Amino acid sequence: MGFFTKDVAIDLGTANTIIYVKGKGIVVREPSVVAIDRYTGKVVAAGSAADEMIGRTPENIIAVRPMKDGVIADFDITQAMIRQFIRLANVVSVLKPRVLVSIPSGITEVERRAVEEAVIQAGAKEAALIEEPMAAAIGAGLPVNKAAGSMVVDIGGGTTEVAVISLGGIVSSRSIRIAGDALDSSIVNYLKKNIGINIGDKMAEEIKIAIGSAYEDNEEEVYDVRGRDVSTGLPRTVQIRESQIREAMSENIAEMIEAVKMTLEHTPPELAADVMERGITLTGGGALIKGLDKLISETVKIPALVAEYPLDCVAIGTGKALEDMKSLLAKSKKNY
Ligand code: ADP
Ligand code: MG
């Protein structure tokens, strides 16, 4: 093998972090979770290893999601997590990699610098950032550089990002802190209030993925949910119907759709007309909610389509954007 600098793309998601290496593809796909020792503050594990510790860790080990709610809740822990994942990707050698990181569009300038710094400290030679919706659009194969409006809706764990892109830039966008995690908590609350059963976020996510749907159809799936009875405190199994989960999620989903409408309202008419013609592309894990494409199509009256690999779009798009790293670096330097 010759000496060359590896180019690395990181999708720093609130739920999952994905690392893409130019010429290799996706090499790391891990939940954005870190397990830390409460007393020493040291990172014990990151990713799936840490995820498995949630709820069953000894008292001194706590599992945290440093990117919860679409923002960096903890700088140091986020930095440690990025370091661990870069190590996993095995890309830091004699020649340091150039790294492009996709970040939620809502994060602050201070947080942007913290991410860049984290990546540099993790062994990168250079670091640049790309906004998530742009990366998602590129990864979904949308013609972002054309003089035509493309709309992407990226539904992740912490945020739903809606953006209209034209000529390589974001024309109008909206970022709301209602996405996969919010759906999970709504399911938790619904089951507590309406069924009298307490469940954890993990169980709620499992139910959402198994039978969650946004659009009513003829078949109705059911799921056996194990939880704890609210009044007796004892374990209990209840059969939950798809329609109940749809009801639990409906308010959050309505807010996502509202964000789509608002973004369209703030889009210049010519570009909005392009979107009407070309449709809306859904990316992120939330795009996989059954019937969401259909509900959006009907409510907004614009066809909505799920991207081919919704969970990988941002990482793939960030990887593709690596080619333009030089110009991105030049741009990001101008901001300082
Ligand atoms: P992020 O970019 O914030 O890391 P992702 O795009 O990786 O988020 O999506 C993670 C979210 O997608 C989680 O809330 C997860 O529960 C949800 N998700 C993943 N698969 C599905 C599915 N099949 N149906 C519904 N939601 C899903
Ligand atoms: Mg994402």
Side-chain angles (χ1 to χ4, degrees):
M1 245 218 263
F3 285 93
F4 59 89
T5 305
K6 285 176 185 132
D7 284 338
V8 178
I10 304 179
D11 166 11
L12 188 61
T14 54
N16 297 295
T17 298
I18 302 179
I19 301 188
Y20 175 106
V21 177
K22 206 165 119 187
K24 268 191 178 173
I26 291 171
V27 294
V28 171
R29 188 196 300 276
E30 292 282 340
S32 306
V33 179
V34 174
I36 47 177
D37 186 311
R38 191 202 293 273
Y39 303 115
T40 65
K42 272 186 84 173
V43 170
V44 181
S48 45
D51 204 26
E52 277 157 24
M53 290 181 175
I54 292 183
R56 42 179 102 89
T57 54
E59 242 172 77
N60 61 316
I61 307 285
I62 48 169
V64 286
R65 282 180 57 189
M67 304 280 301
K68 216 167 156 60
D69 299 327
V71 288
I72 298 173
D74 191 309
F75 284 171
D76 296 342
I77 297 175
T78 301
Q79 289 196 346
M81 184 181 76
I82 295 172
R83 256 198 304 280
Q84 288 268 355
F85 290 157
I86 289 183
R87 207 172 293 156
L88 260 180
N90 204 19
V91 285
V92 177
S93 58
V94 186
L95 289 172
K96 293 175 164 191
R98 294 188 303 176
V99 180
L100 182 59
V101 190
S102 79
I103 38 115
S105 56
I107 78 172
T108 65
E109 193 56 37
V110 174
E111 290 177 323
R112 287 170 164 263
R113 291 202 201 179
V115 171
E116 287 179 335
E117 206 176 288
V119 171
I120 297 288
Q121 282 184 10
K125 184 176 69 168
E126 299 172 81
L129 306 178
I130 179 170
E131 300 212 324
E132 235 169 35
M134 179 60 78
I138 297 170
L142 298 178
V144 294
N145 291 318
K146 279 202 180 154
S150 297
M151 181 180 251
V152 67
V153 180
D154 182 77
I155 306 167
T159 60
T160 293
E161 315 254 342
V162 185
V164 173
I165 293 165
S166 177
L167 287 171
I170 293 174
V171 178
S172 56
S173 68
R174 236 182 155 75
S175 172
I176 57 167
R177 287 178 186 175
I178 293 164
D181 294 338
L183 295 174
D184 300 345
S185 350
S186 292
I187 292 171
V188 170
N189 293 335
Y190 180 94
L191 293 186
K192 187 175 176 178
K193 202 171 139 219
N194 298 280
I195 315 290
I197 188 170
N198 271 322
I199 60 161
D201 289 342
K202 281 232 161 264
M203 185 71 201
E205 183 182 31
E206 195 180 309
I207 301 167
K208 173 186 72 180
I209 293 174
I211 62 165
S213 75
Y215 195 91
E216 194 177 339
D217 58 17
N218 297 326
E219 288 148 59
E220 169 143 275
E221 291 193 59
V222 292
Y223 198 76
D224 285 331
V225 175
R226 268 192 308 136
R228 202 171 278 280
D229 191 279
V230 172
S231 47
T232 67
L234 295 171
R236 192 178 137 203
T237 301
V238 196
Q239 195 175 68
I240 298 297
R241 282 175 285 117
E242 190 179 320
S243 54
Q244 293 173 304
I245 299 306
R246 186 161 52 245
E247 193 187 327
M249 303 195 305
S250 65
E251 208 171 294
N252 292 154
I253 288 179
E255 286 176 89
M256 292 173 193
I257 296 181
E258 190 54 33
V260 172
K261 288 182 179 167
M262 295 283 271
T263 309
L264 277 168
E265 273 171 27
H266 288 89
T267 301
E270 307 78 32
L271 296 178
D274 292 339
V275 173
M276 276 182 220
E277 200 173 298
R278 310 155 72 99
I280 300 170
T281 302
L282 310 181
T283 65
L288 292 166
I289 297 163
K290 207 172 90 184
L292 181 62
D293 47 351
K294 208 167 169 187
L295 183 69
I296 294 177
S297 305
E298 252 180 41
T299 321
V300 186
K301 300 192 172 56
I302 298 176
L305 288 168
V306 181
E308 193 174 1
Y309 302 105
L311 282 158
D312 295 346
C313 281
V314 170
I316 293 170
T318 307
K320 282 191 191 163
L322 270 172
E323 316 283 340
D324 301 329
M325 182 104 167
K326 282 237 166 71
S327 63
L328 274 164
L329 275 168
K331 261 189 217 163
S332 75
K333 280 199 180 114
K334 254 186 263 159
N335 294 333
Y336 295 150

